Amino acid sequence: MSAQNQKASGVIGAIGGMLGLSALAGVLVTVMVTPALAVSSMAASNTIGIFEGLPEYIKINEQTQRNVLYAQETDDPADGYRQIAIVFAEDREEVAWDEVSQFVKDATVAGEDRRFYDHGGVDLQGIVRAAIGNVTSGGVQSGASTLTMQLVKNIFVNESLKAETEEDRDRLYAEAQEQSLERKLKEAKLAIGLEKEYTKDEILLAYLNLANFGGNTYGIQAAAQQYFGVDAIDLTIAQAASLIAIVQYPNERSLETPDNYASNQERRDYIIRTMASEGYITEAERDEALAIAVDEEFVNLSERQSGCIAANRNAQQFCDYVVKNIKNLESLGATEEERLDNWRLGGYEIYTTLNFKLQAAAQKKVRENVPTRSTILNIGSVATSVEVGTGRILTMAQNRPFNDSQTPKQGQTAVNYATDRDYGGSSGFQVGSTYKIFALVEWLKQGRGLNEVVDASRFELNQAAFLDTCDDGGGPWGGPWKFKNSGGAGGAAMSVFNATVNSVNSAYASIAEQLDQCQIRAAAESLGVHRADGDPLETNPSAVLGTNNIAPLTMAAAFAGIANGGVFCEPIAVDRIVDRDGVELDGQTQDCRRAMTAEVAAAAAAPMAAVITGGTATSSNIGDGVPIIGKTGSTDSFNQTWMVGSTRKVATAVWVGNVKGQVSMLNYPGGSGIRHIIFRGIMAEANRQYGGGGFPAPPSSLLAGSGVKLPADVIGMTQEQAKALLEGLGLRFEVGGQVDSALEAGRVAGMSFSAGTLLARGTTVKVTISRGNLVELPNVVGQLYDDAVTALNAAGFTNISESCAEIPLDGDPGQDGIVTAQNPAGGAKVKYERSITLTVSRVVCS
């Protein structure tokens, strides 16, 4: 404690015990009100009433401070943390008494209140001096304010900035700044109360920590760093006096602009001279400090570090996501309102889940391959990764730099494309075929098998055939649904495994037709999947092909759940928090739940692994020995492209496409391949840091599932017999037309699937019915031509022609007239009217 703090409280302190507050108020009214303006006894009486109605004192509350965000350097916490952002309502770092230069303390007293250590909160000499000024100015002067009274005003100004609405902030701020007798009396009484509750040093330190030093810079520590690049303890005489020169008129004397240098120096020099005259510094120190000009060499202005716009360029969107999640950090308060209030008060160190090395690699890959803007389309890209088994967000990279100011540059945006609308402003993007995985999961949950075959030949289905039990799904559905396969993929029949590997729309339409659309949605929701705009997931039949708008972070977390043996973990961004007192608080609690059995997860992972090694995502195959599962996705018009995949340790979702618009990515250089380049680069680094492991083999029960082998003896059955057999096996029966056949008319002559095929129950088997008309053609090779014609005619065939084959000179003339070949060959089943050609050997062909 300063020795000066032990001095008597001064005149007010001496008379405080003798005068009541009413008497003191009367004295203040008498000397402060302009004598030239007659004050009625009623006005004086009312003012004294206001004075007496005030509380005895106000508290010096904790002041708002900076919040600092950190990222983990690598996957290993032992490698330390890196600061990525400073976020605050007011740029302030509160410091203790011994962390402030004595020059600052002396400059404050010399410049703002020379009798600070002698009065009890109100300086009667200053009041009298102000009153004399009032006679000539006709107003209430500020010269009567002590440091303690200024602290009172600053407390009210600071509280006004915490108001929830702009209207309340403006009103409270105006009241705190008002030049009126009532305000002076209020400050005076509360200052006296402060002096009773706090020591002089506590009051002075509070003033230094609270004062505004221009713009959003509050407190001596922030000011020292902002304008001189040093800590408050290291400020020189000239620097200390220059900062204290700001506090009376921050806008006119701050060191943010050279326009203020002259005004600042004028006030600074006054303070330096006063420091010398009060005995705080020597004449030599005074002269040395005065010789330093306030100019560009004197000022060392630091670049603003406030907010996510000033965050590390590799972590801007992630910073914004963390800030928007403050309302969810339970360790900051019991309610959202309390958490946000505490965050505004600040002083927290937030240790996030971000892996800085991996994030830097992700950001580099995204920005290398996707520009901030394009003349071809409104292009955007995101890559985001989560840790399998915890949900910790490891990366959140975006092509466009973050800028939430009122004047963003071209190619910058305040929208975080990785997240939901409530956490970044994006409404998500259609995920295309990556959504098929959730139909696959539901298929397996129903006990269906990967090797079961479905119909992939249909490209128009009746939506009325699709079950949807969701009350809010929009069904039942109706009308035709037309679709197509990408790149000519597909065939008449296809296993669910191959349908996944090759991403065949027609096959997945058949899969969805055999499931409840509401249950497909439930399977997705069990893995945390939801629309980015907050609406329910759509359940119309086309949703299986990815028509829902979903955020990339959601998709990464969902795939991580499959890689985690079916246990899904909600994404989290904060590991732990340290408050302003150094107390460690919990971060976001890991929230994991089982979404499916381990067996279903293993079965789903099997074709997803083949997608990487031999399917639509072979371009994402790193080839480093770490197994990866994944799925590609694109919209019909290719305006959105996706690659989502996971090892046993890290899952990553990459989106490249149209922020707005429907321009095909195939029109852009690199097209749909960009997503794979980005994915490979990120996952290669992830594998180096985290490694991985093998995925368990799918259980045999989920290979065959509940499929049935198509019997061979259906051929030859009557239509009624075949229908009864197939429907009894759980298949659907449909007549696909009639064909000529050697079988009796009305018999099944053919099927849409080969006998022995493992068909999924519910699959429609189309059969063709014989209308007869086919007979076996006799074999007449080796007979004389006339005998052959007679034999064919006898069998009912009359449409016969001859083709002559001349016998070579060294050939056997005995072969003259012999049939050497016939078309169709003997034994073929043909119609009677079929044209038959006989090849006949002749010595001479005419």
Side-chain angles (χ1 to χ4, degrees):
M1 182 180 294
S2 169
Q4 292 168 307
N5 197 40
Q6 308 306 316
K7 295 181 180 180
S9 301
V11 178
I12 291 297
I15 70 171
M18 298 181 293
L19 295 176
L21 290 176
S22 295
L24 177 58
V27 172
L28 295 174
V29 170
T30 301
V31 299
M32 293 180 69
V33 175
T34 305
L37 300 175
V39 178
S40 69
S41 61
M42 179 66 72
S45 175
N46 288 344
T47 301
I48 292 170
I50 293 171
F51 186 87
E52 290 186 316
L54 291 169
E56 288 298 320
Y57 70 96
I58 57 174
K59 287 186 177 182
I60 301 175
N61 294 318
E62 290 182 307
Q63 304 308 321
T64 57
Q65 293 192 49
R66 302 168 173 176
N67 299 299
V68 184
L69 273 59
Y70 296 93
Q72 204 168 288
E73 284 285 0
T74 67
D75 64 309
D76 187 354
D79 290 336
Y81 293 83
R82 177 190 296 249
Q83 179 178 306
I84 57 173
I86 298 173
V87 183
F88 45 74
E90 298 171 0
D91 185 2
R92 178 187 287 107
E93 182 178 350
E94 202 164 352
V95 287
W97 179 259
D98 59 0
E99 294 175 316
V100 181
S101 164
Q102 186 62 42
F103 294 134
V104 173
K105 302 165 188 173
D106 295 339
T108 307
V109 173
E112 296 302 309
D113 188 356
R114 282 176 288 173
R115 283 177 293 279
F116 174 66
Y117 283 99
D118 298 316
H119 61 65
V122 177
D123 183 4
L124 282 182
Q125 293 183 44
I127 291 173
V128 172
R129 185 176 65 249
I132 295 171
N134 290 349
V135 173
T136 57
S137 69
V140 178
Q141 300 298 302
S142 61
S145 292
T146 63
L147 262 176
T148 314
M149 291 170 68
Q150 290 183 52
L151 174 58
V152 170
K153 183 180 78 170
N154 286 344
I155 289 173
F156 282 115
V157 168
N158 190 65
E159 289 301 313
S160 75
L161 300 177
K162 300 177 184 178
E164 291 188 5
T165 68
E166 185 175 353
E167 181 181 351
D168 286 342
R169 284 194 295 270
D170 292 344
R171 176 179 55 80
L172 293 173
Y173 183 82
E175 290 175 2
Q177 296 280 23
E178 181 185 6
Q179 291 294 324
S180 67
L181 174 61
E182 286 79 5
R183 187 182 66 80
K184 282 289 184 185
L185 290 174
K186 184 177 184 179
E187 288 176 2
K189 179 178 180 181
L190 295 175
I192 293 170
L194 278 177
E195 295 272 355
K196 293 178 180 179
E197 293 294 323
Y198 299 96
T199 67
K200 287 287 187 179
D201 288 353
E202 288 172 336
I203 291 170
L204 177 55
L205 180 63
Y207 176 86
L208 290 171
N209 275 323
L210 189 62
N212 175 247
F213 288 88
N216 201 35
T217 302
Y218 290 82
I220 191 65
Q221 174 71 357
Q225 293 177 337
Q226 173 68 18
Y227 299 125
F228 297 113
V230 300
D231 290 326
I233 190 65
D234 298 319
L235 288 167
T236 65
I237 295 171
Q239 291 170 337
S242 193
L243 292 181
I244 299 306
I246 298 173
V247 296
Q248 283 187 359
Y249 299 101
N251 293 335
E252 291 79 6
R253 293 177 183 164
S254 81
L255 299 174
E256 289 184 296
T257 170
D259 295 342
N260 293 348
Y261 287 172
S263 176
N264 180 278
Q265 181 165 342
E266 181 180 359
R267 178 65 181 171
R268 182 207 69 167
D269 290 352
Y270 167 80
I271 294 172
I272 292 172
R273 292 189 182 95
T274 305
M275 290 172 73
S277 66
E278 292 291 317
Y280 295 127
I281 60 175
T282 66
E283 291 185 0
E285 290 174 322
R286 175 199 65 191
D287 295 341
E288 181 182 357
L290 290 173
I292 301 172
V294 177
D295 56 19
E296 285 82 355
E297 292 186 11
F298 175 65
V299 178
N300 181 21
L301 192 65
S302 299
E303 185 177 343
R304 288 285 184 190
Q305 296 298 316
S306 168
C308 296
I309 190 174
N312 184 289
R313 69 185 301 271
N314 288 327
Q316 292 172 312
Q317 276 81 17
F318 180 75
C319 168
D320 184 64
Y321 180 75
V322 172
V323 171
K324 287 184 169 64
N325 263 283
I326 294 303
K327 61 184 179 182
N328 300 322
L329 298 181
E330 295 180 357
S331 58
L332 297 189
T335 65
E336 286 189 11
E337 183 179 7
E338 184 179 350
R339 294 164 198 161
L340 293 174
D341 285 344
N342 286 333
W343 176 252
R344 281 192 289 267
L345 186 61
Y348 294 103
E349 293 180 346
I350 307 294
Y351 291 88
T352 73
T353 60
L354 194 73
N355 177 327
F356 191 82
K357 185 177 182 181
L358 185 58
Q359 169 68 13
Q363 193 63 72
K364 184 174 185 288
K365 276 296 175 185
V366 170
R367 288 187 176 158
E368 275 181 351
N369 291 281
V370 185
T372 59
R373 59 186 184 273
S374 166
T375 58
I376 300 173
L377 73 158
N378 190 348
I379 195 166
S381 179
V382 157
T384 186
S385 305
V386 298
E387 186 176 51
V388 174
T390 67
R392 298 172 67 250
I393 302 170
L394 303 177
T395 71
M396 190 176 285
Q398 185 164 309
N399 69 314
R400 298 186 183 185
F402 180 82
N403 189 330
D404 59 353
S405 72
Q406 297 298 314
T407 56
K409 297 178 182 178
Q410 264 196 323
Q412 299 178 335
T413 182
V415 179
N416 184 348
Y417 303 138
T419 67
D420 296 340
R421 186 166 60 193
D422 288 346
Y423 294 94
S426 171
S427 294
F429 308 95
Q430 287 193 351
V431 294
S433 293
T434 58
Y435 199 85
K436 290 174 181 172
I437 295 304
F438 310 124
L440 173 64
V441 167
E442 177 57 23
W443 178 267
L444 296 167
K445 281 184 175 182
Q446 296 297 327
R448 304 297 193 96
L450 294 173
N451 292 336
E452 294 183 42
V453 171
V454 295
D455 187 357
S457 66
R458 300 172 298 165
F459 297 95
E460 180 177 337
L461 295 176
N462 183 356
Q463 294 186 87
F466 289 78
L467 175 65
D468 182 4
T469 59
C470 282
D471 291 337
D472 60 349
W477 306 98
W481 172 34
K482 296 181 179 180
F483 48 86
K484 59 183 179 180
N485 289 334
S486 177
M494 181 170 293
S495 70
V496 171
F497 187 100
N498 288 334
T500 306
V501 172
N502 297 299
S503 195
V504 181
N505 289 345
S506 56
Y508 260 90
S510 289
I511 291 170
E513 188 181 26
Q514 298 180 46
L515 299 172
D516 182 348
Q517 311 314 296
C518 192
Q519 290 304 311
I520 295 176
R521 182 174 84 173
E525 290 173 337
S526 72
L527 288 164
V529 178
H530 55 275
R531 286 179 61 92
D533 58 11
D535 290 341
L537 287 170
E538 296 174 353
T539 57
N540 53 294
S542 60
V544 73
L545 304 184
T547 58
N548 279 292
N549 290 342
I550 300 170
L553 177 59
T554 300
M555 295 301 291
F559 277 51
I562 296 173
N564 192 35
V567 177
F568 166 76
C569 298
E570 292 283 355
I572 57 174
V574 177
D575 281 336
R576 60 189 177 92
I577 304 168
V578 177
D579 71 10
R580 61 172 61 201
D581 297 321
V583 177
E584 186 158 318
L585 308 175
D586 292 334
Q588 287 178 285
T589 304
Q590 292 181 15
D591 182 9
C592 301
R593 60 179 181 267
R594 180 157 292 283
M596 67 195 78
T597 64
E599 291 76 15
V600 167
M608 293 172 70
V611 168
I612 301 290
T613 56
T616 58
T618 53
S619 295
S620 283
N621 192 356
I622 302 168
D624 59 359
V626 179
I628 300 180
I629 63 174
K631 186 71 187 72
T632 54
S634 61
T635 54
D636 287 345
S637 61
F638 259 89
N639 66 312
Q640 313 295 358
T641 63
W642 291 75
M643 175 60 210
V644 188
S646 184
T647 64
R648 295 302 301 275
K649 298 293 185 179
V650 177
T652 296
V654 176
W655 161 77
V656 185
N658 290 242
V659 175
K660 292 181 180 179
Q662 299 291 325
V663 179
S664 173
M665 282 298 299
L666 300 180
N667 295 329
Y668 187 82
S672 65
I674 298 174
R675 53 185 162 163
H676 299 297
I677 296 172
I678 295 171
F679 183 86
R680 282 201 315 270
I682 295 169
M683 291 304 290
E685 176 60 33
N687 292 348
R688 281 191 288 270
Q689 290 194 43
Y690 294 87
F695 289 87
S700 58
S701 61
L702 291 178
L703 292 176
S706 58
V708 293
K709 288 188 177 181
L710 185 60
D713 57 3
V714 175
I715 303 297
M717 288 185 174
T718 65
Q719 179 175 324
E720 292 73 18
Q721 291 170 331
K723 185 175 187 296
L725 173 62
L726 294 177
E727 289 183 347
L729 293 172
L731 303 172
R732 297 176 182 175
F733 177 86
E734 182 179 321
V735 175
Q738 291 184 316
V739 293
D740 291 321
S741 168
L743 293 173
E744 178 185 351
R747 299 282 177 172
V748 173
M751 298 184 292
S752 54
F753 299 97
S754 301
T757 300
L758 181 68
L759 288 179
R761 293 181 187 274
T763 299
T764 298
V765 179
K766 291 184 179 180
V767 301
T768 52
I769 303 301
S770 173
R771 57 176 170 237
N773 295 332
L774 294 185
V775 294
E776 183 173 329
L777 184 67
N779 184 0
V780 294
V781 173
Q783 298 182 24
L784 288 172
Y785 175 73
D786 290 341
D787 293 339
V789 170
T790 299
L792 291 172
N793 289 338
F797 297 98
T798 58
N799 189 5
I800 304 168
S801 61
E802 177 186 347
S803 174
C804 178
E806 195 166 283
I807 299 172
L809 293 175
D810 58 350
D812 181 5
Q815 292 296 313
D816 185 50
I818 300 296
V819 175
T820 59
Q822 71 180 74
N823 184 29
K829 303 290 177 56
V830 296
K831 292 183 179 182
Y832 284 114
E833 62 267 25
R834 175 67 186 270
S835 174
I836 301 168
T837 301
L838 302 178
T839 300
V840 182
S841 295
R842 300 291 186 185
V843 175
V844 177
C845 290
S846 57

